[in-house]
Amino acid sequence: MATSDMSSMVLRQFFTNEKYMRKVVPFMEPDYFEGVHQHLFKEFAKYVVKYNGTPSLDSFRISIQESDSGMSEQMFEHAMGILPELFVPD
C-alpha cells in the first residue's frame, strides 16, 4: 500500500469515526504524514482542539480556506480535490 493511500485511510477514519479519532489522534504527530496529508492532519488537529469534535466536509473546507498553513496553490487544490473522498466512511 502506498504511503498516500495509508495516509488517506487514516485521515478518513479521523473524519468519519469519532470514537477512533478520539482514541488515536492524541498520539499522532504531523510528521507521521507527508505533503498534503500532513497539512490536512494539522488542520484537522486544530479543528478538533477548537471545536472538540469532527468537522463536516463543508466546515473543514472553510477551515482550510481560512487557514494560514502555508500550503502552495497546487497543494491547496490537491487538498480540495481529495477532501470529498476523505469524508466517505469505509
Side-chain angles (χ1 to χ4, degrees), residues 21-22 25 42-54:
M21 181 274 295
R22 293 199 181 276
V25 167
K42 287 178 183 178
E43 288 303 314
F44 178 78
K46 284 194 279 187
Y47 188 98
V48 170
V49 167
K50 185 173 182 178
Y51 298 106
N52 192 31
T54 56

Side-chain angles (χ1 to χ4, degrees), residues 6-15 20-50 53 55 60 63-64 67 69 71 75 79 82-83 86-87:
M6 181 65 77
S7 295
S8 290
M9 184 179 73
V10 171
L11 288 174
R12 185 177 302 111
Q13 287 301 311
F14 292 162
F15 287 120
Y20 175 81
M21 181 274 295
R22 293 199 181 276
K23 287 182 180 179
V24 177
V25 167
F27 302 102
M28 298 297 288
E29 297 290 332
D31 291 341
Y32 296 166
F33 299 92
E34 295 177 351
V36 70
H37 294 95
Q38 186 176 59
H39 285 284
L40 291 173
F41 174 75
K42 287 178 183 178
E43 288 303 314
F44 178 78
K46 284 194 279 187
Y47 188 98
V48 170
V49 167
K50 185 173 182 178
F60 196 65
S63 181
I64 290 173
S67 171
S69 68
M71 270 196 269
M75 192 173 287
I82 66 172
L83 273 182
L86 297 178
F87 280 84

